[in-house]
Amino acid sequence: MLIAHLSDPHLRPRGELYQGLVDSNAMFSAAVAHLNALDPAPDVVLLSGDLVDHGRAEEYAFAREALAAIRPPLLAIPGNHDERAAFRAAFADHAHLPPSGPLHFAVDDLGPVRIIGLDVTVPGHHHGEMDEAACDWLETTLAQAPGRPTLVMMHQPPFDSGIGYIDAYNCRGGDRLAAILARHRQVERLVCGHIHRFMQLRFGGTLLVTAPSTTTAIALRLAAGARPASYVEPPALLLHDWREGTGLITHHVPIGTFPGPYPFY
């Protein structure tokens, strides 16, 4: 089972630039074209939040147009730049999304890997929160299929990356989340967005990976008190490949056209 993973496209109304500088819409279209050219094709595409930049209806209208080019089924959760009600309205045809409250979901019918979406956004704020209700929902949902390999997707990562100016907006309550995951060993991967970089670490007895953005990258500045910055680095997506007997392999896939192919020796 192939699971493609995009994140943080920050789509804008047609003709508007992200931060007034970067054509995030064109960069996302390039990411979709790259994704659609993958062979074999993914079985499902994940989008781990910040679909749009300001949560406005006109942004979601363009987003649905851009997303229509994605051929496999799409599973998306909101990020801190999304607006929950507008996101829900934009995806009203996605029957797996609940009609009210946080946009949690569990999807079982796309392949051997069960996919859980966990909405930890806090309306009006940029940080996430693993509150009691989210903990109860996740505990109950994981207990329903203890023998099924599972991937959990959320937006804000529940750890400190060392980049202080983005860590201020991570998901709070990470210790509670780690305890839940440690009790449910079927979770093969916890995947996040928000941080606009690829990172990986052990968390709660499983592996946590963050997806790069299809637009700008948060600068990797690990010095204490470093000034916030971003770069237009080569964008990328992740490809999670489930193989029986091996488990889940995660690939970092740069987006674009590169020299090659050359003979392999």
Side-chain angles (χ1 to χ4, degrees), residues 198-211:
F198 175 73
M199 298 182 185
Q200 62 179 346
L201 68 153
R202 291 196 61 80
F203 181 87
T206 187
L207 290 178
L208 186 161
V209 298
T210 67

Side-chain angles (χ1 to χ4, degrees), residues 23 25 29 59 68 76 79 127 132 136 152 171 189 195 221 234 256:
D23 193 345
N25 295 354
S29 294
E59 291 178 319
H127 71 275
E132 186 174 347
D136 289 346
V152 177
C171 179
R189 215 57 106 246
I195 210 161
R221 294 184 171 181

Side-chain angles (χ1 to χ4, degrees), residues 35-136:
L35 184 155
N36 284 338
L38 293 174
D39 183 17
D43 297 287
V44 61
V45 176
L46 308 182
L47 205 160
S48 54
D50 283 357
L51 172 60
V52 303
D53 196 37
H54 292 293
R56 289 159 32 192
E58 58 268 36
E59 291 178 319
Y60 286 110
F62 176 80
R64 283 309 303 255
E65 183 180 329
L67 293 170
I70 295 177
R71 294 170 188 158
L74 173 72
L75 301 176
I77 56 169
N80 54 296
H81 282 262
D82 291 297
E83 199 281 322
R84 188 178 283 166
F87 187 101
R88 194 191 314 274
F91 291 95
D93 57 330
H94 285 218
H96 61 276
L97 293 177
S100 62
L103 291 165
H104 306 318
F105 65 81
V107 173
D108 301 276
D109 59 356
L110 294 174
V113 178
R114 188 181 194 218
I115 298 172
I116 291 176
L118 185 62
D119 178 6
V120 297
T121 59
V122 181
H125 297 273
H126 286 295
H127 71 275
E129 181 73 40
M130 197 66 195
D131 60 17
E132 186 174 347
C135 288
D136 289 346

Side-chain angles (χ1 to χ4, degrees), residues 187-226:
V187 177
E188 289 278 335
R189 215 57 106 246
L190 174 63
V191 303
C192 306
H194 186 61
I195 210 161
H196 288 222
R197 302 199 65 84
F198 175 73
M199 298 182 185
Q200 62 179 346
L201 68 153
R202 291 196 61 80
F203 181 87
T206 187
L207 290 178
L208 186 161
V209 298
T210 67
S213 169
T214 59
T215 179
T216 56
I218 299 294
L220 183 58
R221 294 184 171 181
L222 300 176

